Every structure is written in C-alpha cells, then in structure tokens.
Amino acid sequence: MWRVRRAAVACEVCQSLVKHSSGTKGSLPLQKLHLVSRSIYHTHHPTLKLQRPQLRMSLQQFSSLTSLPLRKLKLSPVKYGYQPHRNFWPARLAARLLKLRYLILGSAVGGGYTAKKTFDQWKDMIPDLSDYKWIVPDIVWEIDEYIDLEKIRKALPNSEDLAKLAPDFDKIAESLSLLKDFFTTGHKLVSEVIEASDLLLLLGSPGETAFRATDPGSESDKRYRKDKEKIDQLQEELLHTQLKYQRILERLEKENKELRKLVLQKDDKGIHHRKLKKSLIDMYSEVLDVLSDYDASYNTQDHLPRVVVVGDQSAGKTSVLEMIAQARIFPRGSGEMMTRSPVKVTLSEGPHHVALFKDSSREFDLTKEEDLAALRREIELRMRKNVKEGCTVSPETISLNVKGPGLQRMVLVDLPGVINTVTSGMAPDTKETIFSISKAYMQNPNAIILCIQDGSVDAERSIVTDLVSQMDPHGRRTIFVLTKVDLAEKNVTSPSRIQQIIEGKLFPMKALGYFAVVTGKGNSSESIEAIRDYEEEFFQNSKLLKTSMLKAHQVTTRNLSLAVSDCFWKMVRESVEQQADSFKATRFNLETEWKNNYPRLRELDRNELFEKAKNEILDEVISLSQVTPKHWEEILQQSLWERVSTHVIENIYLPAAQTMNSGTFNTTVDIKLKQWTDKQLPNKAVEVAWETLQEEFSRFMTEPKGKEHDDIFDKLKEAVKEESIKRHKWNDFAEDSLRVIQHNALEDRSISDKQQWDAAIYFMEEALQARLKDTENAIENMVGPDWKKRWLYWKNRTQEQCVHNETKNELEKMLKCNEEHPNLESRGVEVDPSLIKDTWHQVYRRHFLKTALNHCNLCRRGFYYYQRHFVDSELECNDVVLFWRIQRMLAITANTLRQQLTNTEVRRLEKNVKEVLEDFAEDSEKKVKLLTGKRVQLAEDLKKVREIQEKLDAFIEALHQEK
C-alpha cells in the first residue's frame, strides 16, 4: 500500500511540473520523471503525441551527476510540442535584469529536487526485507530472553584455572612404559604411541632442558636424568616395535603374494574357465608405446604420466630400478656408461616373474640366472643397435614389460646418466644429447621425476639436481632418492648433513617426498633378496633412525616403490581424461583436413598403401607372361643384331672379302664363326635377353595407367624394379645349350628357296647401307663441310680438315686410276703418314662397301647359279650365303631365348619381386622413405590418433570400473 501511495504522490508531482512548464522552453522530459510515475499514463503531458526521441540508454546510472542540465545549449535548439511566443518587452527586460537571481534560485531548487529523486530511486531499489522475516526463526530474535550471556561470561574460567587443567607430562611418561605390553594389539595403537612419543620429545626440547638446568638443587637434576633415560628407553622400544611390525607386514605381504600367485596360476590353467582381461597397466603401457611412434609434428603432445628416473652417472639409478622390479635386469659395468638409450619398463602383476620386449614373444624367466644373463645381453645389444655411428647415446626407446607377483603397477623410464665431462671414446655432443633427452622427458607436466642422488659423494658435485630444479622448480612432481646411505653414514663426519640432504636443504630443488635407500654392498653378483636383507639390517641399526633424523616411512626401496606407485596412479587419474580430450580435438582437425583435401580417396595409411602397391606390382609382373612370342622374338633378334653387327662386318665379313677366291673366303668365314661362337656369341645373346627382359619389365612398371595411375607409388615401383633386377641372375646352363644351337645354325649353308635368298640379300643390303652411312659420316667429320654447307651455313674447314680433304681426293684418284703413290708433294702439301693411313682406311672402306652393294644387286638373280653351285658362271655370291647364315642364327637364337624367358626367367623374376616386396614390408624405414607425401603423412597421423584415442577410451573405462 505504501508503494501505491508513493506512486500517486509522485504522479501528482509530475502533473504539477508538466502544468507549470508547458509554456517554457526546455520542459522536463518524461524519461527524467520518477520510475513509478513513468509507468502510469500521463494525460496532462502537452507533448504526449509528439514525444521527443529517446537519446539516452534505457538503463540509467542512478547518480546525481546524471541530473538534467540547468541551461540548454543554444547550438542546435529543438522545440517539442506547442510553445507559445510572447513579444512583451518589459517582461523580457525584467527577466534579463533578474537573470542572476533566477540562476541561483533555479540551481538550488533543481539540485535539491535531483538529490531527493536520486535518494528515492536508491531506496526503491533496496528490497523490503520485512517480507522475508519469516525465514529467520523467532528464537533468534528472542534469544536474549532465554539465555543470560552475562552469566555465561562470568562462568568461564580465567587463564590461571586453565593452566591448572594442563596434564602432568611426567606422569604420562611413566604411564607410557605400561602401554608397551599392549603393542601387539594392532598397528593403530602403535601409531598413537608414536605420536605420544613425538609429543614427549617436543617437550624434551633444548629449551626445556635449559629451563630444567636452571632449577636449583640436585633433586631436580636426578629427576631430569631419570626422565631422559626413560625417554631414550621408550624411543628405543618404539623403534624395535616398529621394525617388528614392519617384518610382520612384509611376511604377510609375502604370503599374500604367494596366494595371488597361486590364484593367477589357476586362472592360467583354466580352472575357472574365464578369460582374464588385460590389466590396467598393460593397457596404459600400450598407449605409451603407440605415442612413442606418433609423429609429434602436430600441436598435440604426449603429456601422459610416467616415472622418469634421472640421476648422475653411477649414482645408482639402475640399481634402484632393479630393486623396484625385483630383478637384476640391466647390464652392468665398472664406471663406464651402460645406459645408452631410454628403457621404458612397465611393471605389472602376474603369476610368474618374467620379462619380455614389446616387439618379441620370448619370455625371460627372471628366477633363472641364465635367462637374466640373456636378458642383460639382449638389452645391451638393442642399445648398441639404436646408437648410430659416431654417437654415444640414442633417443630411441627400448620397451620392456616385467611381470611378477607383488610388483607395484607403474611405468618407469630409465634415462642415460647425466655426465659433467666428455671422456675419450665418447662423441663430442654426448653431454648435450643426454641433457636434451632428459629435458624431453622431464618437460612433460605430468611426468613424475625420480631424482637419484649418490649419498657417498659430496652434494656440491651433483649435476642432476640443478637440471631437475629447472624443469620442476616448485617440486610438485619430484621425488628425491638418496642412494648408498650406508657409505654416506660411514664417510660423512656430521650425520646432520645427511638429514639436510634428505630434507632438501642442501639443494635448490624441492620435492614431494624424500627417501633414503641402500642398493647393496657394491657387488654386482648380489641377489635382490640379499640386498633387501642388508638394507633392512642397516636401517635397523642405523643412527639415522635412532636419532630421528629419518622417519621410518622414508627408508627402504619398498616404501619408495609404494610411494612412487601411489603418486603415479594419482597423476594418471588426474590427467588421462584431459589427454583423451586433446586427442579427440586432434582427430577432428585431421579428419576435417582429409575431407577438404582428399574428398574422394579412402584413408589409407602407409601399410595399406604398400599392400595396394604390392598388388599392382605383382599384376604388372604377371603381364610379362602375356607378351606374345612374336613380339619377344622381334625385339630379341633386333637387339642381338645391333649388338653383334659390328663384329660380323668388321671381323668376319671384311677380312674374308679380301681373299681372292671363294674357297679361301668360305674357309676364313668358317674359322672366324667357330671362334666367335665358342667365346663370345652365347654370352652376348644372354646379355641381350636379360637387357630385353629388363626393358619390358621397366616398361610395364613405369607405363601410366590413365586416370587410375597413382604417382604416389612411383618411387616404390622404381626401387622394387632396381632391387629385383639386381638380385636376378640368368640361368647358368643357358649359355651351354645356346652355344650348341648357335654352332649348328651357323654350319648350315643350304638355302632352300628363293624367298630365303631374297631375304638374305635384303638383310645384307640393310647392313651394308648402314655401314656405308656411318663411313660417310666419318669422312665428313674428317674433311669438314662440303661446298654446299659452306655456302648455306657459313662454315669453314680447319687446316687439318683441308689436309684430310686433299689426301682424300688424291686417294680417290688413285683408286680410280690405279696409281701407286698420291701426288701431294708436287702440290706442296705436307702430309703425315699416319694421316694418310687413317684417310685411306675410310676412303677404301667406302669404296669397298659401294662395290659390295653393287655386287649384292647382281646376286639378286643368282639363286639359280647357287643351286648349281655356281658352275659355269662367273658370278659368285658367297657373301649372300654368309649373311643368310647370320640371319638364320639370329632367328634361332631369338626363338631359344624367348623360350627361356617365358618358361623360366619371367617366373624367377616374379619370385624375386615377391621376395623384394616381402623384405620391404618388414623394413619400416624403407617404407617411410619410398611412400612419402602429405597424403601419406595425414593418413598415418589419422590412424595413430584414432588408435591412441581408442586405447585411451578403453583405459579410462577400465579405470572407472576399477574405482
């Protein structure tokens, strides 16, 4: 009701303001009225139908600074509504004379009104809390009626009374000796007594000692010494009791391990007939293995947790890892670098204590010394294989799985030890390479850094602590481990220095936890059980525990293993889902890129592309068997004649043609053909056949297939072709059989019909014309261009060419006129005898070939005389018979080689191609080198990301089920 009344009053005020301002300029707009009055219909406003446009925002700042200006600017006056104008000059004169008074009065009235309006607006914005009074109970408002707070204040005790209520700690110390009989009731009671003893030790601080020493009288000194003896005795008994319970817990865990081993063995034997699921740690390790092969060229990085073991060289990293794995699995050396590449060790539970590599199915039984030695040798061989020539360490990771009863589930990576100096035999960049490998693993924000420090050396000599402090300055994921504590206790003069190391006061680094362990007596032949017993015996008798420099949970590798495993799984649960989301985003980006660039192609990774290329190559090899015999024989015969034509013309025909009669000609031809067949001809034929097979194979491999041709396979096909040809060898017995066939073919001189005679003449003419053309080219190069070329192409002869030309002209005259000596000296031309000899060879060769071609034309009609053995005829065509023998030998040789090709060599080549493809399929580096390009890399990344995401999803589901 009060709001309605206030609104009515405000409305009346607004109406009165409108009435009084209807005839003046700068009337108050509707937007500046009261909030409630604006919501009511104003019938008295003179500009209701011609409202001024709203120039301000609907939301107003409720402040006195937003009030209306007292005076309008005259730059752009705007009139709204009906404003009458009067021309009464005395009134205007009076208004100007009283202008100052009006300004002061208007400012006072306007400011007061604006202040009142702003106050009312703020008051309206505050909710009426009286409507919510029912929420608070009535007893709160009436609490002073039921409780007298003054009486309570007076009843409270003062500080002196509170001091009297404090317990007597001397009596507590005497009572603690009675509680030692109840220690066997449980570990919980022991922990409570330990807390009480800690409190007692706090009371026995140096400050209290100084206070008691000031008490006069020998009675207080005796009492103090008695209390101190009781405290020492109680602390000793507590330590023995804790160690006793530690042994009991270890015995129970050992029994539990044996029971779990029996259960797992029963499951392996199929007693329960159920299929065991893959363990969580194995699933997680598979994800890490896939990630190690994933190309990190994209922004998504591997931030999944693993335990990174780092430390100085010979600090005991490997020994700590072996104690956690409960087996001596790593190669050992005295002072030399043994860890040359990262080793990823996945620990998981299993019925048998075994180890196996990721890429091998062999299991090493870690309970047998022979298998342990073989495993160490295998790890050392793999490390040396990973190290490239000229390097000392390698970033390539060796993946090893270790299973056994009672092992803590986690993934550890043993890195090469950090060195300070590069010694002889090491690569110059060994130190920098080790630092880069260590940083690459430690910069993972979810990696747990297990920092190993040698306790037997000075802390100032440590290198790894500075490196760890750089990668994890706040120590949120670092666990510090001090090794060789037994040597440190013997060598260090001040035991408090070890405490400072454990508490992280001597190093700039910070850590989640600090541990002290003993990794044996330095003998490499010690067993894990012997080292564990020695470690327990040492800490049982160590002053570090007796003087409380170390806590019980900070010692032994067993406690370290439990702490690291808990930290590892905590980190996994916190980060694995975030990593899964990042890989989902990466997968979406890659799939989108593939759809935009290759919308009509399937996503084939490198292995799938290789299989597709393999099928295409095998199909092309099979196409060799589809070549027709006629095609084989034609190309073989042509290629063989091109290879042997020079020998036939130069070494057989030309020397035999210089003889004077047909008998000598035939004898010379037979001898030279026999020698040629025995020594060179079969081998030349096999070479020609092998080259022909290569050419045909290359033609089928490189021939484009039209639209279906995919150039992504070109490099692979070329490599397969070269390797297959390199491996292929012709049958060794082919030459022997071919020699017999060729010898028989060349001995035959009987031309059966005129068609063969004409074919021999045609073959002879082609051979002689080809030789004549070559001879003409040689003479032209010798004597230079003729007059036609000199005039048309502006070419000149050299001095030597001029001499050759003069010599050629004289030799041609000599051949025509049968002169014995060239007449060059009489013309003043000096000629070297060797020049005459060279020129004569070409000139006479041309003369002989032209004569042979003329003789060949005469022999076209000589088949009749040949059948009569040229009896009663001056025409002798023995050269035609020679070329017929050569032609027949070529045809028979081509036919024989074709049979060897189609029946044997093509199949052997196909077998070689299959072997090469199988070898390439096993060589991943070869496939990466031969199958390249953006399309291949994109498909490969898609496959990897999908595999990682699927494995991560399966792991997360199993992790939730385990919870």
Side-chain angles (χ1 to χ4, degrees):
M1 293 301 292
W2 63 274
R3 291 186 178 181
V4 176
R5 289 195 299 269
R6 288 176 60 87
V9 173
C11 186
E12 292 177 0
V13 173
C14 293
Q15 292 174 2
S16 62
L17 287 173
V18 171
K19 289 179 181 180
H20 287 86
S21 61
S22 60
T24 60
K25 294 182 181 181
S27 59
L28 187 66
L30 181 63
Q31 286 79 2
K32 288 296 180 177
L33 297 180
H34 194 273
L35 291 174
V36 179
S37 62
R38 273 211 320 258
S39 62
I40 302 175
Y41 186 75
H42 293 264
T43 56
H44 301 281
H45 197 282
T47 60
L48 181 63
K49 296 181 180 180
L50 298 173
Q51 294 181 0
R52 181 180 179 180
Q54 184 175 353
L55 300 178
R56 298 178 181 269
M57 298 176 61
S58 59
L59 275 175
Q60 296 192 15
Q61 303 292 332
F62 296 102
S63 172
S64 60
L65 298 176
T66 61
S67 60
L68 287 173
L70 297 177
R71 185 179 180 183
K72 292 283 185 177
L73 294 175
K74 297 182 180 180
L75 296 176
S76 57
V78 182
K79 299 181 181 181
Y80 299 95
Y82 176 74
Q83 296 181 357
H85 182 68
R86 298 179 181 180
N87 296 323
F88 189 60
W89 63 270
R92 288 199 301 274
L93 180 61
R96 290 180 181 177
L97 293 175
L98 299 176
K99 184 176 180 180
L100 180 61
R101 186 178 302 174
Y102 284 141
L103 287 175
I104 297 173
L105 181 61
S107 298
V109 174
Y113 172 74
T114 302
K116 180 179 181 304
K117 185 186 67 172
T118 304
F119 173 74
D120 293 339
Q121 289 175 348
W122 277 98
K123 189 174 181 181
D124 292 341
M125 292 176 62
I126 298 174
D128 189 5
L129 297 178
S130 61
D131 296 337
Y132 303 96
K133 188 176 180 181
W134 57 273
I135 298 176
V136 182
D138 296 337
I139 191 172
V140 175
W141 310 104
E142 301 173 358
I143 191 170
D144 54 346
E145 299 178 3
Y146 299 96
I147 300 176
D148 191 353
L149 298 178
E150 186 66 23
K151 289 183 178 181
I152 293 175
R153 187 182 64 80
K154 293 180 179 181
L156 290 175
N158 52 20
S159 59
E160 296 178 356
D161 297 335
L162 289 174
K164 295 178 181 179
L165 296 175
D168 190 353
F169 293 104
D170 295 335
K171 292 183 179 181
I172 292 176
E174 295 177 0
S175 302
L176 284 175
S177 62
L178 300 175
L179 294 176
K180 64 181 180 180
D181 297 333
F182 299 98
F183 285 163
T184 56
T185 56
H187 185 67
K188 183 176 179 181
L189 183 59
V190 173
S191 61
E192 294 176 358
V193 175
I194 292 172
E195 292 177 1
S197 65
D198 291 339
L199 179 60
L200 195 59
L201 288 173
L202 290 174
L203 293 175
S205 60
E208 185 183 357
T209 304
F211 175 74
R212 289 180 177 177
T214 57
D215 292 342
S218 59
E219 191 70 26
S220 60
D221 295 340
K222 292 181 180 179
R223 184 177 179 184
Y224 167 70
R225 285 194 296 271
K226 183 179 179 181
D227 293 342
K228 190 174 183 305
E229 291 175 358
K230 289 182 179 180
I231 291 172
D232 294 340
Q233 183 181 1
L234 178 61
Q235 187 174 358
E236 187 73 21
E237 291 177 355
L238 286 174
L239 181 60
H240 284 290
T241 305
Q242 188 173 5
L243 294 175
K244 175 183 175 183
Y245 270 94
Q246 187 80 11
R247 287 192 293 270
I248 293 174
L249 288 174
E250 290 178 358
R251 179 174 57 81
L252 292 175
E253 287 183 355
K254 188 175 181 180
E255 294 176 357
N256 185 27
K257 184 194 302 183
E258 296 295 331
L259 291 174
R260 290 181 62 84
K261 182 177 179 180
L262 292 175
V263 171
L264 292 173
Q265 286 176 348
K266 290 180 180 180
D267 290 338
D268 282 350
K269 294 177 181 178
I271 294 178
H272 295 290
H273 300 285
R274 65 183 180 89
K275 185 179 179 180
L276 290 177
K277 293 184 179 180
K278 194 175 293 184
S279 64
L280 269 179
I281 192 64
D282 291 335
M283 297 171 66
Y284 186 76
S285 179
E286 288 180 359
V287 174
L288 296 181
D289 289 336
V290 177
L291 279 173
S292 63
D293 300 332
Y294 176 59
D295 188 5
S297 60
Y298 286 85
N299 293 329
T300 304
Q301 299 178 357
D302 175 15
H303 288 168
L304 289 176
R306 69 260 286 163
V307 181
V308 181
V309 186
V310 294
D312 299 330
Q313 185 179 357
S314 302
K317 294 186 298 79
T318 304
S319 299
V320 172
L321 194 54
E322 286 179 339
M323 290 294 291
I324 296 175
Q326 300 180 14
R328 308 299 292 269
I329 58 178
F330 290 103
R332 317 189 72 78
S334 56
E336 61 175 324
M337 179 182 292
M338 299 305 298
T339 306
R340 297 181 178 270
S341 66
V343 182
K344 181 176 75 70
V345 182
T346 304
L347 302 180
S348 60
E349 273 196 312
H352 306 287
H353 202 187
V354 295
L356 67 158
F357 292 97
K358 179 188 72 171
D359 55 354
S360 175
S361 59
R362 179 186 176 184
E363 286 190 352
F364 297 88
D365 190 352
L366 301 183
T367 60
K368 298 179 180 178
E369 189 58 37
E370 298 83 6
D371 283 15
L372 280 172
L375 177 61
R376 289 193 288 265
R377 286 195 301 271
E378 181 67 20
I379 293 176
E380 186 173 3
L381 288 175
R382 287 175 179 255
M383 286 183 180
R384 296 188 181 277
K385 182 180 178 181
N386 289 343
V387 177
K388 297 180 180 179
E389 186 177 357
C391 300
T392 306
V393 294
S394 170
E396 297 183 18
T397 305
I398 299 174
S399 183
L400 180 67
N401 293 338
V402 178
K403 298 182 179 181
L407 292 181
Q408 299 297 323
R409 303 177 303 167
M410 66 181 99
V411 177
L412 305 102
V413 182
D414 185 22
L415 300 180
V418 179
I419 60 175
N420 190 20
T421 306
V422 177
T423 59
S424 60
M426 292 184 179
D429 61 342
T430 302
K431 180 179 178 180
E432 291 76 13
T433 305
I434 294 175
F435 268 82
S436 63
I437 294 174
S438 301
K439 288 181 178 179
Y441 277 91
M442 287 192 294
Q443 70 184 1
N444 179 359
N446 297 321
I448 301 167
I449 303 173
L450 197 62
C451 180
I452 309 298
Q453 171 64 32
D454 189 351
S456 62
V457 299
D458 295 335
E460 291 77 10
R461 293 168 56 186
S462 175
I463 310 171
V464 70
T465 51
D466 295 334
L467 181 62
V468 172
S469 62
Q470 294 175 9
M471 307 308 296
D472 184 24
H474 301 291
R476 295 172 181 171
R477 50 189 180 90
T478 302
I479 297 177
F480 180 82
V481 182
L482 186 67
T483 61
K484 305 177 185 179
V485 184
D486 52 341
L487 300 178
E489 189 177 23
K490 294 178 183 178
N491 299 334
V492 178
T493 56
S494 176
S496 61
R497 186 174 177 82
I498 300 178
Q499 184 181 11
Q500 292 177 350
I501 296 175
I502 290 296
E503 293 177 354
K505 296 179 180 179
L506 289 182
F507 300 106
M509 58 169 288
K510 300 178 182 178
L512 280 173
Y514 299 85
F515 289 86
V517 298
V518 174
T519 55
K521 300 179 181 179
N523 187 3
S524 60
S525 61
E526 286 183 291
S527 63
I528 295 296
E529 290 76 12
I531 297 175
R532 188 185 295 114
D533 294 339
Y534 172 70
E535 184 182 40
E536 293 177 358
E537 181 182 358
F538 167 76
F539 283 116
Q540 184 176 357
N541 301 321
S542 174
K543 297 179 181 179
L544 299 174
L545 278 180
K546 291 181 179 179
T547 57
S548 297
M549 293 184 182
L550 295 177
K551 304 297 182 183
H553 67 275
Q554 290 182 300
V555 297
T556 71
T557 51
R558 177 186 168 279
N559 290 333
L560 171 65
S561 176
L562 291 172
V564 173
S565 178
D566 291 342
C567 187
F568 169 76
W569 283 106
K570 179 182 178 183
M571 192 73 76
V572 167
R573 290 185 177 92
E574 291 176 353
S575 60
V576 67
E577 293 188 1
Q578 181 180 0
Q579 284 292 297
D581 293 338
S582 65
F583 277 103
K584 287 180 182 178
T586 303
R587 175 178 176 177
F588 175 78
N589 295 337
L590 293 176
E591 289 176 346
T592 304
E593 185 177 359
W594 181 274
K595 290 177 183 178
N596 293 331
N597 293 325
Y598 313 103
R600 297 184 179 181
L601 294 178
R602 288 192 301 123
E603 300 170 5
L604 299 178
D605 60 7
R606 187 170 279 110
N607 292 330
E608 293 170 339
L609 286 172
F610 182 83
E611 291 298 323
K612 183 179 178 181
K614 177 180 177 181
N615 295 330
E616 287 188 8
I617 293 171
L618 293 177
D619 291 341
E620 291 163 358
V621 174
I622 293 176
S623 299
L624 285 173
S625 61
Q626 307 299 322
V627 179
T628 61
K630 182 180 179 182
H631 179 72
W632 278 121
E633 292 183 10
E634 287 178 355
I635 59 178
L636 284 170
Q637 187 171 348
Q638 182 181 359
S639 301
L640 183 58
W641 172 242
E642 290 176 357
R643 182 66 61 88
V644 302
S645 61
T646 301
H647 182 83
V648 170
I649 300 296
E650 302 293 337
N651 298 332
I652 298 178
Y653 173 64
L654 288 179
Q658 306 303 318
T659 58
M660 301 303 295
N661 53 51
S662 62
T664 307
F665 178 87
N666 292 331
T667 302
T668 304
V669 167
D670 290 342
I671 292 173
K672 290 186 177 294
L673 287 177
K674 181 69 168 58
Q675 294 175 351
W676 184 44
T677 306
D678 291 339
K679 295 180 180 179
Q680 299 179 8
L681 184 57
N683 182 263
K684 294 286 185 182
V686 170
E687 288 180 359
V688 168
W690 177 217
E691 291 175 0
T692 304
L693 179 60
Q694 293 181 32
E695 291 175 0
E696 289 297 305
F697 179 51
S698 301
R699 182 172 66 85
F700 280 107
M701 292 284 288
T702 58
E703 190 176 37
K705 304 299 187 297
K707 294 182 179 180
E708 298 179 358
H709 178 70
D710 196 348
D711 57 357
I712 203 171
F713 301 139
D714 291 346
K715 292 175 66 176
L716 176 62
K717 290 181 178 180
E718 185 68 22
V720 171
K721 181 195 74 174
E722 293 178 358
E723 186 64 24
S724 302
I725 291 173
K726 183 179 178 181
R727 295 186 184 184
H728 185 79
K729 292 183 179 179
W730 205 271
N731 192 355
D732 296 334
F733 301 101
E735 292 187 13
D736 297 334
S737 61
L738 196 61
R739 183 178 292 108
V740 176
I741 294 172
Q742 291 171 342
H743 184 72
N744 294 333
L746 290 173
E747 283 186 347
D748 189 7
R749 299 181 185 178
S750 58
I751 304 176
S752 59
D753 54 14
K754 183 69 166 58
Q755 185 179 3
Q756 293 182 5
W757 181 267
D758 293 340
I761 291 176
Y762 179 75
F763 176 64
M764 179 179 174
E765 284 182 343
E766 282 190 342
L768 294 179
Q769 285 176 357
R771 291 295 160 181
L772 180 60
K773 185 177 180 180
D774 293 340
T775 305
E776 293 284 356
N777 292 332
I779 293 174
E780 183 180 355
N781 293 331
M782 185 181 295
V783 301
D786 57 2
W787 65 271
K788 190 180 296 184
K789 291 184 178 180
R790 291 199 301 271
W791 279 96
L792 293 177
Y793 302 108
W794 294 84
K795 292 183 178 181
N796 295 321
R797 290 174 176 169
T798 62
Q799 183 65 31
E800 185 179 358
Q801 288 176 343
C802 291
V803 174
H804 274 290
N805 185 51
E806 295 291 339
T807 307
K808 177 185 75 80
N809 293 334
E810 292 295 328
L811 290 174
E812 287 177 348
K813 291 178 182 180
M814 185 184 69
L815 286 174
K816 292 178 181 179
C817 301
N818 293 323
E819 297 181 0
E820 295 182 358
H821 302 287
N823 191 12
L824 294 175
E825 294 180 357
S826 61
R827 297 165 54 184
V829 179
E830 296 181 1
V831 183
D832 187 34
S834 61
L835 186 145
I836 297 175
K837 184 178 180 180
D838 295 339
T839 308
W840 168 253
H841 176 73
Q842 297 296 334
V843 171
Y844 180 79
R845 182 186 180 87
R846 183 176 64 176
H847 172 73
F848 173 79
L849 290 174
K850 287 182 178 180
T851 305
L853 284 171
N854 293 331
H855 180 71
C856 185
N857 289 327
L858 295 175
C859 289
R860 290 182 184 277
R861 300 182 302 272
F863 181 68
Y864 171 75
Y865 299 103
Y866 166 75
Q867 288 180 330
R868 298 181 60 184
H869 304 288
F870 299 104
V871 177
D872 299 332
S873 174
E874 296 181 358
L875 183 65
E876 292 182 357
C877 298
N878 294 314
D879 48 358
V880 176
V881 177
L882 170 63
F883 277 92
W884 178 83
R885 293 166 69 181
I886 297 295
Q887 187 182 31
R888 186 168 180 272
M889 182 273 299
L890 292 175
I892 293 175
T893 302
N895 181 269
T896 304
L897 292 174
R898 189 266 304 169
Q899 293 179 10
Q900 292 180 1
L901 280 171
T902 56
N903 297 335
T904 306
E905 301 303 328
V906 171
R907 295 179 182 178
R908 293 178 62 226
L909 180 61
E910 182 180 356
K911 182 180 178 182
N912 289 337
V913 170
K914 289 181 179 179
E915 292 178 355
V916 171
L917 288 171
E918 290 176 358
D919 294 342
F920 283 7
E922 296 176 358
D923 192 348
S924 58
E925 294 182 358
K926 184 76 72 175
K927 288 190 288 186
V928 171
K929 182 180 178 181
L930 298 177
L931 292 173
T932 57
K934 180 181 178 182
R935 169 183 155 196
V936 182
Q937 192 61 44
L938 186 59
E940 197 73 15
D941 291 336
L942 262 174
K943 177 191 173 185
K944 291 290 184 184
V945 170
R946 283 173 179 157
E947 185 180 2
I948 293 169
Q949 183 186 348
E950 291 172 0
K951 290 184 179 294
L952 273 176
D953 292 342
F955 172 74
I956 292 172
E957 183 180 356
L959 192 65
H960 290 328
Q961 290 177 357
E962 187 183 68
K963 285 185 179 180

